[in-house]
Amino acid sequence: MRPNIHQGIGTLRESFRDAISRNASARPTVAQQCAQAHEAVRQSMVDAFRCDFPAPPPASQALLQAAPPATAAQAPARADARVAPPPPSREAQGVAKANAYTEVQNHLVRSHPLERQLAEYRRDNERELKLGTKLGANAWYHFGIVDFDGVIDELEKAVALPGAIPEVDPQATRLLAALRELNPTLKALTRYQTTREFKEDGYKFAREQHPILVPKVEAAAKAMDAYGNALFERELARDGRRMAMLPEDAPARRLLATSLALRRAVQRFEALRPKTDTASFLAALSDVSSANRQLGATFDGMNPKASSSCTGYADTVASVIGHGRDVARDIKAKGDPSQPARLFNDAYNRSVRDFESCQRYESRARPS
């Protein structure tokens, strides 16, 4: 889950930068939103993973502690009374809504691996759900698909926010409808397992609900994929626009071009299945290889030399490419690609960290 979480945090950070670059007067509002988002992300990471997530810097903490400006109704009637701030600009509204959508996606990634949960549900209950099966005394009904109460609440609030995100709004609405449709069935079956009612009715309710549950879960999983892809494509389009504004041979452009190519390859990787055609994935890896060669040549020609995090990023990307080609080889040979796929994921996780370090410490290669 690490690359998805990194992606979400990066999207939050870049959305604040973009808002200020488009409208400098929005800086106070965006600064407040940034501080609030930092604390919200920190708390969610601590709660979910018990990790050591950095606290907001002192300036952000001061913003969080500051009292909100007095409204016109609350302000005392004197000449120096503070007035209510102006309503958020359209840019600030867009930033807030995009950040809310990203938080929903982070929640989904952390807590709702729906395709895996459905596969485990089928595997664990296959025997018991077959009609006519004689159940033994130790038979058990394993459900294990978590309800979407929290996500639905977050997504309802995000959809209701002012502003428009044309690339994501339709997918968010579809996802919300799919989760609302699925959630009552999940809750009913969770209660069914928790109360051990399956031992009383011999799996009657489970068998009745099975053909209702599975299509709803599959529809929700499809809507989740479409929603995540819409957010991902929006991020790629934004970075593509940023890259187009940089000089052709600038280190920042080379770095961003490699990152974009790699993220597109990861999309192809996630679409792979045991018997799928790997041609598009291999073509995406070739694009990554070409971009990475140009990036390496750029780093080699820099004086003073690029930071170790930047050269390490190029080396790690090369490892991602190699493991990706191993995955394609095993799929084509009808072998088991799980080991190279794990190595591919591990290397990609390292590349995300190296990319962020390069942006942070190597100003010559910072795509900004």
Side-chain angles (χ1 to χ4, degrees), residues 108 114 147-160 172-188 216-217 219-221 223-224:
L108 288 168
L114 204 51
D147 70 58
F148 285 88
D149 282 355
V151 173
I152 289 173
D153 181 60
E154 291 179 11
L155 191 52
E156 285 175 342
K157 293 176 180 177
V159 169
T173 301
R174 294 188 187 100
L175 175 59
L176 184 56
L179 297 184
R180 285 171 173 166
E181 177 71 16
L182 169 63
N183 212 42
T185 304
L186 298 185
K187 295 166 80 70
K216 289 182 178 180
V217 172
M224 285 169 57

Side-chain angles (χ1 to χ4, degrees), residues 65-87:
Q65 296 169 2
T71 64
Q74 298 168 331
R78 64 177 189 268
D80 62 345
R82 290 183 294 177
V83 299

Side-chain angles (χ1 to χ4, degrees), residues 26-39:
R27 180 178 291 274
T29 301
V30 174
Q32 185 78 30
Q33 292 174 341
C34 182
Q36 293 169 347
H38 187 137
E39 179 58 23

Side-chain angles (χ1 to χ4, degrees), residues 95-106:
V95 169
K97 193 163 192 174
N99 292 344
Y101 280 155
T102 301
E103 277 299 294
V104 171
Q105 175 66 4
N106 289 342

Side-chain angles (χ1 to χ4, degrees), residues 2 14 222 297 330 345:
R2 186 187 302 272
E14 292 303 323
K222 186 175 180 180
D330 287 354
N345 277 317

